[in-house]
Amino acid sequence: MTVTEKPTYTILADDRTDVRDFAVHLENVVPTHYDQKNLVIDLLKYENLTLEDLVQFLKLSNYQRADKKSFIFVNTGINYDVVPDEMIVVPTIEEAGDIIEMEEIERDLGF
């Protein structure tokens, strides 16, 4: 896993070859090392990401969001219309950063 620290969030990129293995790996790593950080999950290398692949991350997404932390996926291959409301998928890292910034403002305002 490649980790890139930004001022307001951390990017976790998969260096594996299987998105489902990455989801399992993150379930073990995030609660112990990244639970207090806003996270961007870089899945850009998976151009044929399916909804079934993405929902492997749902439990972890809910865990982070329940703790008032952002959890954003970056991927261009998935049909955004089928993504569950509990998950946010955007096409670029920059857009993920923008969403985290907006969510931080909402949290500061008490939403």
Side-chain angles (χ1 to χ4, degrees), residues 2-69:
T2 305
V3 179
T4 306
E5 295 285 343
K6 298 290 184 175
T8 57
Y9 60 93
T10 300
I11 303 169
L12 303 178
D14 186 11
D15 58 5
R16 299 166 184 260
T17 57
D18 186 286
V19 69
R20 292 177 187 225
D21 285 345
F22 186 48
V24 170
H25 176 69
L26 288 181
E27 279 191 20
N28 295 319
V29 173
V30 168
T32 57
H33 294 88
Y34 301 102
D35 62 328
Q36 295 303 310
K37 298 186 179 264
N38 294 313
L39 297 176
V40 173
I41 309 303
D42 181 352
L43 300 176
L44 285 169
K45 75 182 213 175
Y46 296 107
E47 295 175 359
N48 296 315
L49 188 72
T50 66
L51 179 60
E52 291 77 22
D53 294 332
L54 187 65
V55 297
Q56 301 301 309
F57 296 91
L58 184 58
K59 178 179 168 187
L60 190 55
S61 176
N62 289 338
Y63 170 82
Q64 282 293 101
R65 297 179 73 73
D67 201 27
K68 303 291 186 201
K69 295 295 173 190

